[in-house]
Amino acid sequence: MGKIIQTAEELNFDVRSTPAMPVARRIMMVRPTYFHVDNPINPHMRKADGSLHVLDKPKAMQEWDGLRTAYMNLGLQVFEADAINGLPDMVFCANQSLPFLTRTGERKAILSNMANDIRNREVPGIAAALERNGYKTVALPQRSAQTLFEGMGDALWLPGYRVLLGGYGHRTHKAIYGSVAELVDATVIVFELANPRFYHLDTCLSILDGSSALACREAFTQDGWELVKKVFPNLIEVPLSEADSPAFACNAHCPDGKNVILQAGSKQTVTRLKAAGFKAVGLSTEEFIKSGGSVFCMKLQFF
Ligand code: ARG
């Protein structure tokens, strides 16, 4: 049965002594055919004057192709789920589910209860794509304020281990981690997100390998930051200026424990990544950052 850890004191064992779980190696993406910035549900979607960002659609299509190519260049297989007309954020396909493996190796995925009504309509499409790829999908208790959960926007696997890191406070309710821990049968370490500009855990924490991560201190509570430091002996701090939009450096993705794909331009983060032995792969996701998302949100890593 899953155990929930909330503070550094409660983490009185080495997370890397927990049972192993294989790392997910497949990538799913949703083409930005119907992508739009017209449903403002996070602070990054508006300009300083309050108006919505204006999208350059051809540039968005190019950036998406660039990310897809970057994954293929790293030798990863990219699967596509169909975009749906009228669902402007479906391109951010990290959020509708949490894929996992059972202890006997069965592929399953928890389906999200998304906070926004329009976004919640994306869930069946991703569920169908996962089912076509060999997954059994499982539902959480019925959607309500206390059961909100936004999949791999807030819940991130520690690569190689049966350990899940979960953010809460904006899109995901803390209470749902009881059900999540039971379903995935793993240790769940939870973090309160203190700053609305970092509304998903994947906007302020990028797990690079089983002991390394990028993270932005300002997104966490003091207790949460102590816990981040305890989980990751190799913690690379990202300055607020590079974690916030328009840089979004913590929304990076390291699919293989070596290459870190991120929005180009975050100099300090790149210097620190290189010093820690990682390879930075910079590309442009500017049109998606106008919607509050970058590399990590634009794909689902599945087993
Ligand atoms: N506009 C989308 C939203 O606010 C962006 C989602 C980005 N995804 C992420 N995992 N951070 O829901």
Side-chain angles (χ1 to χ4, degrees), residues 7 21 25 30 48 65-66 79 89 100 118 126 163 177-178 208-209 213 240-241 250 257 261-262 265 284 298:
T7 62
M21 187 162 93
R25 294 281 179 216
V30 173
D65 272 327
F79 296 78
D89 274 338
F100 65 100
I118 298 175
I126 298 297
V163 175
Y177 283 111
L208 306 175
D209 65 22
L240 181 60
S241 59
C250 290
I261 311 176
L262 79 173
S284 175
M298 292 167 69

Side-chain angles (χ1 to χ4, degrees), residues 165-184:
L165 275 63
Y168 68 87
H170 300 292
R171 300 291 186 85
T172 295
H173 195 284
K174 184 182 182 182
I176 199 60
Y177 283 111
S179 306
V180 171
E182 213 167 296
L183 287 167
V184 300

Side-chain angles (χ1 to χ4, degrees), residues 39 41-42 45 89 92 94-95 114 119 150 152-154 171 199-200 202-203 248 251 288 291-294 296-298:
N39 177 31
I41 52 175
N42 71 60
M45 298 176 79
D89 274 338
F92 299 112
N95 306 153
M114 299 193 69
R119 287 221 66 188
E150 293 211 345
M152 295 206 74
D154 272 322
R171 300 291 186 85
Y199 60 93
H200 273 149
D202 75 1
T203 62
F248 246 53
N251 202 246
F288 299 92
S291 185
S294 179
F296 194 91
C297 335
M298 292 167 69

Side-chain angles (χ1 to χ4, degrees), residues 5-9 11 13-16 158 165 189-191 201 204-205 207 210-218 220-238:
I5 306 281
Q6 309 188 45
T7 62
E9 294 73 58
L11 188 61
F13 57 94
D14 180 1
V15 282
R16 280 155 290 272
L158 186 67
L165 275 63
I189 307 178
V190 295
F191 302 86
L201 187 61
C204 52
L205 177 75
I207 304 179
S211 53
S212 316
L214 293 172
C216 176
R217 183 191 290 257
E218 286 83 353
F220 294 89
T221 61
Q222 188 55 45
D223 281 357
W225 186 247
E226 293 307 317
L227 193 52
V228 171
K229 287 195 290 191
K230 195 145 180 196
V231 175
F232 296 103
N234 310 321
L235 184 63
I236 303 172
E237 222 181 304
V238 173

